[in-house]
C-alpha cells in the first residue's frame, strides 16, 4: 500500500480548542484559522473536531445537537458538550449557561471584560483535557489536543498535571499580547497544583497566565509565521514571555496561516477577474470609488483593519498628505480606538474626494475594497501572521507592509533585485516609523506609474499561493511526529 493510500484509510484525530470559530462566531483572525483548519487537515488524513463555548447567540443550535459529554461541577454549575455538524465542520459546543449565556461579546460585556474570564476559559480547557483523556460517549477520542491562544492555554496544563492519557498537546500562539492573566489566589479554584506555582512553571509576575501555563506544559508550541516564532524570543515582541519561549526553542515552530481561497476569490466576485485578465479590476475600482465618493488620479489604496496602535494606524495621518499630493487616495474600513477613528474621519474632511472612511466592519464591502483597491496598507508594529496582506495578494491589491512577523514571510519586496528577477509581490518597509512608511508610499506611486511593471507585480501577487495546502501539510507532519 502506498503512503497516500494509508493516509486515506488511517485517519488521525485532533481536538481543536478555541474561543471562536467561523462561521459560528468571529471577533478576529483566530476564528478564520480555527474554522479553516478542519477542512484543510481532512485532506491530510486528520479528523479535527472543534470545541468552543456555547455563547448566548449560539444556543439555538443546541436543539440540533446531541449530548456527548458532561460534568456536574464545572466551575460553579453543570456543563455539557453538544456535538453536531455546522457548515461541514464537526463542532463541539460547551453548554454551561452560568459561564456563557450572557448578553455581550465572548470576552466582555457592556462594562468591560467579564470578571470571571479566568474561570470561563479554564472551564473550556478543563473539559478539553477530560475529553482528551476519556473520549466522548460516541467513542471518539483524540490523539492530539490543539489549543489556541490564552483562552485554551490551561488545556495542556490540565493534561500535564492531571494525566494526559497518552494524548499529545500543541499550543498555537496567535497573538502574545493577550495572555490571560489572573490573580494567584485563584490557583486552587482553577484546579491547578500549588506545587507548580514557581517561575519555571505557573507563576507569572506574582500571578497566573493561562498562556504561560500552556507554553510551559504543551508538548509543542507553534506560532502563525516563522518570523514571529523568532521575534517572540526578543523582548520587544515577547511581551514578558520571551524567556519562557526561548527556553523551549527546540519545541517552537512557525507555520503560516492560509486563507479560504473559495471565499476570498476575485473569480467569485460580482465583477470577476483573474491574473490572466485584469480588466474587471478597473470596473471594481470604479464601483469602489463611487461607494466612497472618491476621484483619485493615482493609486487607490485601501485600509481594512482594526484601528489600533499595534496596527500602526497612528502613522497614517503623518504619511498620507504627501501620498495624496502625489496623486494617491485612501478608502478606510475599520473600527477600534476612538482617537484613531477620529483621526481617520479628520483625514476624510481634510481631503474630500481623496479619502473615504467607513467606521465599522462590513464583510461585503471589504470584498469590494480588495477587488477595487490598487494597494492595501498594513503598517503593523507587530503582526503574528496577518491575513489582510494575503487577501491583497489574492486580489492583486499590492500589499504595502511593515517588515515584521508574517508580513515579512509572505511579501516579496519590489526592490531592484526582485523586480529584475520578476518575482516581486509587494512593498515592505522597516522600521515601522513615518519616514520608512512614507518612502514605501513614494515607491508605490512610482511603481503604479509604470503600467507594464505594475501589472507584472499584480499578476505575481495573484499567483502567489496563499491557501491552506502547505500549512495543513506542516500541521499534519507535526501531529504525526508527536504521536509517532
Amino acid at each position: 500500500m502506498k503512503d497516500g493510500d494509508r493516509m486515506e484509510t488511517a485517519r488521525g484525530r485532533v481536538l481543536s480548542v478555541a474561543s471562536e470559530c467561523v462561521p459560528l462566531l468571529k471577533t478576529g483572525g483566530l476564528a478564520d484559522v480555527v474554522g479553516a483548519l478542519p477542512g484543510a487537515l481532512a485532506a491530510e488524513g486528520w479528523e479535527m473536531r472543534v470545541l468552543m463555548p456555547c455563547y448566548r447567540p449560539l444556543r439555538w443550535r443546541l436543539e440540533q445537537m446531541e449530548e456527548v459529554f458532561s460534568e456536574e461541577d464545572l466551575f460553579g454549575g453543570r456543563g455539557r458538550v453538544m456535538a453536531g455538524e455546522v457548515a461541514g465542520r464537526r463542532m463541539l459546543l460547551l453548554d454551561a449557561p452560568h459561564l456563557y449565556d450572557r448578553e455581550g461579546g465572548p470576552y466582555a460585556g457592556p462594562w468591560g471584560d467579564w470578571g470571571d474570564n479566568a474561570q470561563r476559559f479554564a472551564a473550556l480547557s478543563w473539559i478539553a483535557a477530560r475529553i482528551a483523556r476519556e473520549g466522548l460517549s460516541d467513542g471518539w477520542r483524540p490523539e492530539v489536543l490543539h489549543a489556541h491562544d490564552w483562552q485554551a492555554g490551561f488545556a495542556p496544563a490540565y493534561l500535564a498535571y492531571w494525566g494526559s492519557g497518552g494524548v499529545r498537546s500543541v499550543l498555537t500562539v496567535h497573538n502574545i499580547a493577550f495572555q490571560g492573566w489572573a490573580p494567584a489566589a485563584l490557583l486552587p479554584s482553577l484546579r491547578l497544583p500549588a506545587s507548580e506555582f514557581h517561575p519555571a512553571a505557573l507563576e507569572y509576575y506574582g500571578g497566573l497566565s493561562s498562556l504561560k501555563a500552556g507554553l510551559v506544559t504543551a508538548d509543542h508550541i507553534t506560532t502563525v509565521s516563522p518570523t514571529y516564532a523568532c521575534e517572540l524570543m526578543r523582548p520587544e515582541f515577547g511581551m514578558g514571555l520571551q524567556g519562557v519561549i526561548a527556553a523551549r526553542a527546540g519545541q517552537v515552530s512557525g507555520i503560516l496561516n492560509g486563507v479560504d481561497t473559495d471565499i476570498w476569490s476575485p473569480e467569485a466576485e460580482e465583477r470577476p477577474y483573474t491574473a490572466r485578465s485584469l480588466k474587471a479590476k478597473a470596473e471594481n475600482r470604479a464601483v469602489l470609488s463611487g461607494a466612497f465618493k472618491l476621484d483619485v488620479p493615482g493609486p487607490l489604496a485601501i485600509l481594512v483593519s482594526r484601528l489600533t496602535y499595534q496596527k500602526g494606524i497612528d502613522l497614517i495621518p503623518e504619511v498620507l498628505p504627501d501620498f495624496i499630493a502625489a496623486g494617491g487616495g485612501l478608502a478606510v474600513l475599520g473600527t477600534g480606538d476612538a482617537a484613531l477613528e477620529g483621526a481617520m474621519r479628520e483625514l476624510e474632511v481634510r481631503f474630500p474626494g481623496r479619502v473615504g472612511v467607513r467606521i465599522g466592519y462590513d464583510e461585503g464591502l471589504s470584498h469590494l475594497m480588495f477587488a477595487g483597491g490598487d494597494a492595501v496598507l498594513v503598517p503593523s508594529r507587530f503582526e503574528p501572521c496577518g491575513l489582510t496582506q494575503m487577501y491583497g495578494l489574492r486580489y492583486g491589491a499590492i500589499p504595502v507592509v511593515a517588515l515584521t512577523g508574517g508580513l515579512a514571510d509572505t511579501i516579496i519586496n519590489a526592490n531592484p533585485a526582485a523586480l529584475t528577477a520578476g518575482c516581486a509581490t509587494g512593498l515592505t518597509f522597516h522600521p515601522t516609523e513615518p519616514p520608512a512608511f512614507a518612502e514605501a508610499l513614494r515607491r508605490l506611486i512610482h511603481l503604479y506609474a509604470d503600467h507594464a511593471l505594475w501589472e507584472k507585480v499584480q499578476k505575481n501577487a495573484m499567483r502567489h499561493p496563499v491557501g491552506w495546502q502547505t500549512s495543513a501539510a506542516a500541521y499534519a507532519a507535526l501531529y504525526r511526529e508527536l504521536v509517532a
Side-chain angles (χ1 to χ4, degrees), residues 232-258:
L232 289 183
M233 300 181 201
R234 294 159 48 188
E236 62 267 39
F237 293 101
M239 298 192 177
L241 288 168
Q242 61 273 6
V244 176
I245 297 171
R248 301 209 61 198
Q251 292 81 43
V252 177
S253 57
I255 300 176
L256 274 170
N257 289 335

Side-chain angles (χ1 to χ4, degrees), residues 26-359:
K26 173 181 174 178
T27 68
L30 169 65
D32 291 310
V33 174
V34 174
L37 275 174
L41 284 163
E44 294 291 331
W46 289 84
E47 179 193 357
M48 175 176 277
R49 298 191 184 186
V50 180
L51 173 68
M52 66 173 284
C54 184
Y55 306 107
R56 179 172 291 181
L58 306 180
R59 294 194 59 77
W60 66 273
R61 292 185 179 272
L62 299 178
E63 298 176 4
Q64 289 83 44
M65 306 178 89
E66 63 172 325
E67 183 176 320
V68 291
F69 199 87
S70 67
E71 176 159 338
E72 292 304 315
D73 181 19
L74 183 63
F75 296 90
R78 185 174 188 270
R80 59 177 185 158
V81 176
M82 307 294 288
E85 188 168 305
V86 178
R89 300 165 181 83
R90 297 299 301 273
M91 297 298 304
L92 301 171
L93 293 183
L94 175 54
D95 180 29
H98 61 292
L99 298 173
Y100 309 120
D101 186 10
R102 303 174 182 183
E103 193 66 39
Y107 317 118
W111 299 279
D113 290 350
W114 298 115
D116 61 346
N117 270 347
Q119 293 89 338
R120 295 172 74 235
F121 293 106
L124 177 68
S125 295
W126 177 263
I127 288 295
R130 280 200 61 197
I131 291 172
R133 281 194 300 268
E134 303 167 33
L136 300 174
S137 62
D138 64 3
W140 189 86
R141 181 169 176 259
E143 298 162 270
V144 177
L145 185 156
H146 190 155
H148 297 271
D149 263 351
W150 70 268
Q151 297 93 338
F154 282 137
Y158 289 139
L159 282 183
Y161 300 140
W162 289 79
S164 69
V167 175
R168 309 305 299 278
S169 62
V170 177
L171 174 69
T172 295
V173 179
H174 294 263
N175 191 338
I176 206 165
F178 304 100
Q179 301 181 354
W181 192 89
L186 292 180
L187 189 75
S189 64
L190 294 178
R191 304 175 184 176
L192 295 166
S195 61
E196 295 299 318
F197 188 72
H198 55 83
L202 295 175
E203 189 270 334
Y204 185 58
Y205 295 100
L208 296 168
S209 160
S210 57
L211 184 61
K212 185 192 176 187
L215 290 173
V216 299
T217 56
D219 292 307
H220 197 87
I221 299 163
T222 71
T223 69
V224 290
S225 71
T227 294
Y228 193 55
C230 297
E231 288 176 341
L232 289 183
M233 300 181 201
R234 294 159 48 188
E236 62 267 39
F237 293 101
M239 298 192 177
L241 288 168
Q242 61 273 6
V244 176
I245 297 171
R248 301 209 61 198
Q251 292 81 43
V252 177
S253 57
I255 300 176
L256 274 170
N257 289 335
V259 302
D260 189 325
T261 54
D262 291 327
I263 294 174
W264 292 94
S265 170
E267 296 96 331
E269 299 296 341
E270 185 175 346
R271 288 160 295 278
Y273 61 96
T274 69
R276 291 184 301 277
S277 176
L278 293 166
K279 180 180 178 182
K281 186 161 180 65
E283 298 172 16
N284 282 292
R285 173 178 156 139
V287 175
L288 175 61
S289 297
F292 280 87
K293 297 181 172 59
L294 299 176
D295 183 10
V296 179
L300 173 53
I302 63 170
L303 180 70
V304 183
S305 175
R306 285 186 292 113
L307 303 180
T308 64
Y309 177 82
Q310 179 225 317
K311 297 293 185 180
I313 307 304
D314 55 298
L315 304 177
I316 299 291
E318 190 163 347
V319 303
L320 198 64
D322 286 346
F323 181 63
I324 298 292
L330 179 66
V332 178
L333 175 64
T335 183
D337 181 84
L340 294 175
E341 289 181 0
M344 295 301 103
R345 289 193 179 100
E346 289 174 8
L347 289 171
E348 183 177 40
V349 172
R350 183 179 173 188
F351 300 107
R354 301 293 286 278
V355 177
V357 176
R358 298 281 183 88
I359 299 300

